[in-house]
Amino acid sequence: MSSSDVVGGSVAPGFEAVREEFAAVVAEEPAGGGAQLAVHLDGRRVVDLWAGEGVSGESLFALYSSAKGAAHLVTALLVQEGVLDLNEEVAHYWPEFAAEGKGALTFRQLLEHRAGLIGVDGGFTTEELADDRRIADRLAGQKPYWEPGTAYGYHAYVIGALTGEVVRRRTGRTVQELFEERIRAPYGLDFFLGLPAELESRYLSVLPAVPLPGQQGEPPAPDSLMGIAFNLNASPPTDLAGFGNLRSVQAQGPASTGSFGSARGLAALYAAAAQGLDGRTPFLAPATIAEFGPVRTHGTDVVTGEEDHFGLGFEAQSTRFPFLGAEAFGHSGAVGAQSFADPRSGVAYGYTRRRFSSLPLGPENHRLAEAVVRAAGAVRGAAG
């Protein structure tokens, strides 16, 4: 029996090598747990694969920071429509934000993770982290951890609440409401900010990472920038792996960390944004993608140490995956999930996994995405 026999689903002609690569990834996972991979090419689904005990194409996983992608798709749409101005000061929309020397920060700089508001002194409670309004209220009065605008660092648990408060102040609607009404429901996407109670039977709970042989490492110091950003300065510190299983997170869907869905939903979300879905026009214009997608934060992320980490709200995909175009945009999820749209190749990519990756960022995504882009190029070339 070949390794690909353990994989369910299908691929379009020309994407057979992607199935083989996915099967190899699954076979190499020492602790199992399950995964899904879905891909659209020019708006048409060409890969729909899954593997793992109890996993199907309709299984729903906790996808953590994939929520940031959804929140910033809403933001990009509002900027495109002229509702929000990237160059306006955040305090123009949200006056309380100006406290503690933050009044000059622009909305553009906020989306670039330059606010210095990576957390709060003493940390957040778990209940606060599940509630964007409570996060925003505490951050409004928080002194930033560096001078706003002078550096950038991953606002891991909070960027969605910060962006979302600007959206709410300007529109009277939450990011979650706008995502549901303007993007998720119209396209029937299997991706949610929050887990609807009626879909709980499809949810497969997060499994913790299993360390690799010889793998060691101490957690960041609670008072380090990394420790503050990941709420390790709280008492008790936040258990990231267990966070997605909390019903409070599932019920409220915080816009930084509270996403739930399938690989099908992730890939279709980005296809709808950039290539069009089901024959419809993409909801983001090329000029909007050109503004939000490319690297806007050159240099080192002071929280994670990553280089050239962000566009506007989105992670700059061409840094992590050099075979993608400069305007590729999307976001990872802490469990090892990944999603993006690449206008150059016409690919929209969604990958989910149930067990937390033992290595940061789900490194198998590099192999899988490269196989996808290679296959997409060959299919496009053969078509003319």
Side-chain angles (χ1 to χ4, degrees):
M1 183 172 68
S2 81
S3 61
S4 64
D5 290 335
V6 303
V7 172
S10 62
V11 297
F15 287 86
E16 294 84 1
V18 175
R19 183 187 181 98
E20 291 297 328
E21 193 65 52
F22 180 73
V25 162
V26 170
E28 293 167 14
E29 178 65 37
Q36 302 165 325
L37 177 66
V39 177
H40 287 245
L41 176 61
D42 298 324
R44 179 176 65 93
R45 191 161 71 195
V46 293
V47 174
D48 183 26
L49 300 173
W50 58 86
E53 184 178 356
V55 176
S56 73
E58 295 190 346
S59 298
L60 302 179
F61 297 97
L63 299 178
Y64 292 83
S65 289
S66 304
K68 296 179 176 74
H72 291 112
L73 284 169
V74 171
T75 303
L77 189 58
L78 294 175
V79 169
Q80 178 174 280
E81 294 172 345
V83 176
L84 293 171
D85 184 345
L86 291 171
N87 298 316
E88 186 63 82
E89 292 173 351
V90 173
H92 171 78
Y93 300 112
W94 178 10
E96 298 90 334
F97 184 85
E100 297 289 350
K102 305 190 294 290
L105 188 82
T106 66
F107 189 46
R108 179 187 298 275
Q109 290 172 315
L110 176 66
L111 294 176
E112 293 170 345
H113 292 249
R114 297 186 189 274
L117 287 178
I118 52 175
V120 292
D121 299 339
F124 293 102
T125 66
T126 300
E127 292 74 20
E128 286 173 329
L129 284 180
D131 187 336
D132 282 347
R133 291 290 299 280
R134 295 177 70 180
I135 293 173
D137 285 348
R138 289 201 64 186
L139 289 173
Q142 172 67 41
K143 182 179 179 180
Y145 289 90
W146 61 82
E147 182 180 348
T150 62
Y152 81 93
Y154 187 33
H155 289 50
Y157 275 105
V158 303
I159 191 65
L162 290 166
T163 301
E165 188 64 12
V166 172
V167 169
R168 191 184 70 83
R169 296 294 182 110
R170 180 66 180 89
T171 68
R173 308 286 285 165
T174 67
V175 161
Q176 289 85 349
E177 289 168 339
L178 290 170
F179 177 70
E180 175 66 21
E181 294 167 10
R182 301 207 54 190
I183 299 176
R184 198 214 66 78
Y187 288 95
L189 301 175
D190 215 17
F191 178 81
F192 307 84
L193 291 179
L195 178 64
E198 65 271 20
L199 300 182
E200 287 183 8
S201 64
R202 294 170 54 197
Y203 176 65
L204 299 180
S205 59
V206 181
L207 300 175
V210 175
L212 298 173
Q215 188 178 31
Q216 297 179 349
E218 293 296 322
D223 60 351
S224 67
L225 292 182
M226 176 79 90
I228 295 165
F230 284 89
N231 209 46
L232 302 182
N233 61 333
S235 183
T238 296
D239 172 21
L240 181 59
F243 191 73
N245 290 331
L246 298 175
R247 187 56 203 154
S248 59
V249 174
Q250 296 169 1
Q252 297 181 84
S256 295
T257 55
S259 62
F260 298 84
S262 65
R264 289 172 177 172
L266 278 177
L269 172 64
Y270 282 93
Q275 288 99 26
L277 193 64
D278 300 328
R280 286 183 270 185
T281 301
F283 65 77
L284 292 186
T288 304
I289 294 172
E291 182 74 71
F292 276 77
V295 176
R296 302 297 181 191
T297 56
H298 296 281
T300 304
D301 184 314
V302 298
V303 170
T304 67
E306 291 188 59
E307 296 295 320
D308 300 346
H309 193 169
F310 295 105
L312 295 184
F314 301 100
E315 290 179 308
Q317 298 299 306
S318 61
T319 303
R320 188 168 295 168
F321 306 116
F323 45 84
L324 299 181
E327 294 181 354
F329 64 100
H331 215 287
S332 61
V335 72
Q338 182 64 57
S339 51
F340 62 77
D342 179 25
R344 186 175 72 182
S345 67
V347 164
Y349 174 99
Y351 174 75
T352 67
R353 51 179 293 148
R354 183 180 185 187
R355 184 178 296 282
F356 247 71
S357 177
S358 301
L359 296 171
L361 303 176
E364 67 268 28
N365 280 291
H366 192 284
R367 293 165 54 185
L368 293 169
E370 189 169 23
V372 165
V373 171
R374 186 183 306 116
V379 167
R380 273 180 153 187

